[in-house]
Amino acid sequence: MAGLAIDLETRDRVKVAGRMVVGTATRTGAPGVADLQLALQVHESLGNCPKYLNRKRIAPHVPSPRLESGGKGTPLSPAAVELIRKADLFFIASRHGGESMDANHRGGAPGFMRVLRNTDADAEEGGGVAIVYPEYSGNRLYQTLGNLHLDPRAGLAIPDFETGDVLYLTGRTTILVGDKAARLMPHSKLAVRVDVDEARFVRDGLPFRGAMVDFSPYNPAVRPLVEERAAATATTTGTAEQKPELDGTVAMASLVSRQVLTPSISRYVFKLKGEAGGRRRGRPLEAWRSGHHVTLDFAPELDAGYSHMRDDDPLSLNDDFVRTFTVSRPLDANAVDGRGYVKERVEPEFEITVRRHGPATRLLERWNLRVPLEIPVLGFGGAEGFRMDTSMGGDGVGVFVAAGVGITPLMAQATDILGAVGGRERLRVLWSLKGEDLPLALDVLGSISGLGDVTKLFVTGKVGVDERASITTIQGSGARVTERRIDASDVLSEGEKGKRRFYCCTGPDLMRALLKWTEGEEVMYESFEY
């Protein structure tokens, strides 16, 4: 047998494995509850690092266990799926042939485990229950993965520290490496899929409760599955098709210029370099369109290689340094051939307007422009449904709602939209911006003719003398400026229900509010939470 002793308040843990000598179970007064004692002859032990352990304050609790799953326990109930959705750790048991067992922990941010499918295995081909979790950078002993490589059978216990509920799973694992992991869970180089054989969902089955203290600084961001990412760019009536990302470098992007717009927002212009205008494996590069994004690989500049711990920069241990930015300027039409590809022997430029956030944008912000910088381009793409219709069709209205640099998809499209017949009557822009970021609005509204006439700007945060001067200039462009947050009445007063489409590019909090306000209407939105 094997066990894991763990102190979630100090993030200490030690694994033990050996043979059970004796065990007793003594019933207590509560039905279904007993005191369990085991004597273990320890053959192996190993102390583990505190990475990916979220601190919790543990308190004892007398459980009242109730088994809620019947039969094999699959498909999982909504309550069991919700437990997985919010779990920030689970325990996994594996074995090394007939020699030894192993028990260990996997943790991360809430939601790091993902449900790949949850259907009746007998009802449809390819059905059943499967979950996927990423394998983060560890101690390189590969004890759990080594066991699963030799024997794919595993047992999982997924606790809910708030309610005391617990989900037990048994199944067979598949280790996904490299492209196989990334195709299922983008930005992952190593992941494990668990095809569940049986499940047991127990209400109030844990003899403790846990209150969150703080999260591990080593936790990577949650990595949704590919199919979840596709659903993240959606309408209220369906899902907008997402172009697949390319599986390698299509060209090199050479940094040409940098323009600092606000204390945290800058514009960068790159020149696309590559064999015959970015040809890849003998194929031409498809021209990107206004509203599309570019995916850049900063790993050659930022990846410092393996470290067991890196307290000065904990998130770098699991960072692939691949970043996606919206292209904020349309592609020069003279660089595109009649088939829609970048012309051979042409090196077009593209522009991104971004807020400083993380190592990639810090690198761009601090780079000495006298020194060449070339970044691999992995591809261009985007949701076709998020590209605004330049004609808008009939008497319909397109309402673009943006926050901060969320205006960038419109920056590349606005000139064509406003230049179309009736375009100014069929476009409305609601833009929320912090006072310190008003120079971005000055730049955008000053460079795109007519955009100010259809824009309402909502300014939040500090507004001082300099900001007042900026607001006066912005109003001179035709924009209306209000010093408050966007609310539901602002959004719903634009256009007529049934004759309008909303395009939203904001942070998650405002996005949730927008989706609630516009329920039942046609809404296109892009998520950058991946």
Side-chain angles (χ1 to χ4, degrees), residues 16-74:
V16 294
R19 299 188 68 83
M20 188 177 74
V21 178
V22 65
T24 64
T26 305
R27 291 184 181 274
T28 66
V33 179
D35 291 329
L36 180 66
Q37 298 184 60
L38 299 175
L40 171 69
Q41 183 180 27
V42 177
H43 294 168
E44 303 173 35
S45 68
L46 177 68
N48 285 128
C49 69
K51 287 185 298 188
Y52 320 123
L53 281 171
N54 302 313
R55 291 180 61 214
K56 293 181 174 66
R57 189 168 292 110
I58 303 299
H61 168 79
V62 178
S64 301
R66 304 182 306 279
L67 178 64
E68 293 213 346
S69 52
K72 291 187 176 183
T74 57

Side-chain angles (χ1 to χ4, degrees), residues 27-249:
R27 291 184 181 274
T28 66
V33 179
D35 291 329
L36 180 66
Q37 298 184 60
L38 299 175
L40 171 69
Q41 183 180 27
V42 177
H43 294 168
E44 303 173 35
S45 68
L46 177 68
N48 285 128
C49 69
K51 287 185 298 188
Y52 320 123
L53 281 171
N54 302 313
R55 291 180 61 214
K56 293 181 174 66
R57 189 168 292 110
I58 303 299
H61 168 79
V62 178
S64 301
R66 304 182 306 279
L67 178 64
E68 293 213 346
S69 52
K72 291 187 176 183
T74 57
L76 301 176
S77 67
V81 172
E82 175 64 15
L83 190 155
I84 295 174
R85 187 195 66 79
K86 68 179 184 178
D88 65 356
L89 72 79
F90 68 91
F91 302 98
I92 182 168
S94 61
R95 72 176 188 174
H96 181 61
E99 299 177 17
S100 66
M101 300 290 294
D102 183 83
N104 213 337
H105 147 277
R106 291 292 184 269
F112 79 105
M113 303 176 67
R114 316 302 293 181
V115 177
L116 177 62
R117 62 174 181 270
N118 184 35
T119 60
D120 189 338
D122 298 325
E124 58 181 272
E125 186 178 352
V129 176
I131 64 172
V132 178
Y133 69 88
E135 280 285 344
Y136 299 142
S137 177
N139 56 18
R140 286 194 165 181
L141 295 180
Y142 298 110
Q143 290 183 316
T144 301
L145 286 175
N147 287 350
L148 298 180
H149 176 69
L150 295 174
D151 185 341
R153 289 173 289 186
L156 278 65
I158 310 173
D160 186 329
F161 288 87
E162 294 181 1
T163 66
D165 299 343
V166 58
L167 176 64
Y168 300 99
L169 304 174
T170 58
R172 292 180 175 271
T173 60
T174 302
I175 300 173
L176 306 170
V177 181
D179 289 345
K180 291 182 178 179
R183 280 197 291 268
L184 189 61
M185 180 177 277
H187 301 288
S188 296
K189 298 178 181 178
L190 190 61
V192 175
R193 186 185 75 231
V194 183
D195 292 289
V196 176
D197 292 329
E198 296 197 26
R200 301 290 185 269
F201 181 57
V202 180
R203 291 283 194 184
D204 195 16
L206 298 176
F208 54 80
R209 292 288 191 272
M212 178 62 68
V213 177
D214 59 38
F215 291 101
S216 170
Y218 283 86
N219 288 344
V222 171
R223 301 169 181 173
L225 303 176
V226 165
E227 58 190 40
E228 295 175 305
R229 288 182 54 179
T233 302
T235 71
T236 55
T237 56
T239 300
E241 183 179 352
Q242 187 86 11
K243 293 184 66 175
E245 291 185 3
L246 298 174
D247 57 351
T249 300

Side-chain angles (χ1 to χ4, degrees), residues 310-427:
R310 194 177 291 156
D311 289 341
D312 60 327
D313 190 10
L315 292 180
S316 66
L317 292 191
N318 294 281
D319 196 337
D320 63 359
F321 301 106
V322 172
R323 299 292 187 269
T324 298
F325 304 103
T326 300
V327 178
S328 55
R329 188 175 75 187
L331 174 61
D332 184 354
N334 293 324
V336 183
D337 66 20
R339 301 173 300 156
Y341 293 95
V342 174
K343 292 179 179 178
E344 295 187 17
R345 293 178 293 279
V346 170
E347 297 181 335
E349 293 183 345
F350 67 87
E351 171 192 286
I352 60 174
T353 304
V354 299
R355 188 181 298 279
R356 181 183 64 250
H357 179 73
T361 48
R362 280 200 304 270
L363 174 78
L364 295 175
E365 183 181 65
R366 299 173 181 175
W367 191 265
N368 183 349
L369 294 176
R370 290 176 293 182
V371 179
L373 174 64
E374 292 194 349
I375 302 296
V377 179
L378 301 186
F380 293 86
E384 291 302 311
F386 197 73
R387 296 186 67 254
M388 301 184 74
D389 184 354
T390 56
S391 66
M392 296 297 174
D395 57 353
V397 172
V399 183
F400 193 98
V401 185
V405 292
I407 197 70
T408 51
L410 182 63
M411 289 168 60
Q413 304 179 64
T415 298
D416 286 344
I417 295 170
L418 295 169
V421 176
R424 297 196 182 198
E425 291 73 34
R426 292 174 182 149
L427 174 63

Side-chain angles (χ1 to χ4, degrees), residues 1 9 38 120 138 170 218 220 222 301 305 320 362 367 405 407 420 443 462 466 480 493 496 518 521:
M1 63 171 290
E9 289 197 43
L38 299 175
D120 189 338
T170 58
Y218 283 86
V222 171
E301 297 294 334
D320 63 359
R362 280 200 304 270
W367 191 265
V405 292
I407 197 70
D443 177 86
K462 180 181 177 182
D466 291 341
R480 285 159 287 179
S493 64
E496 180 182 345
T518 59
E521 300 204 45

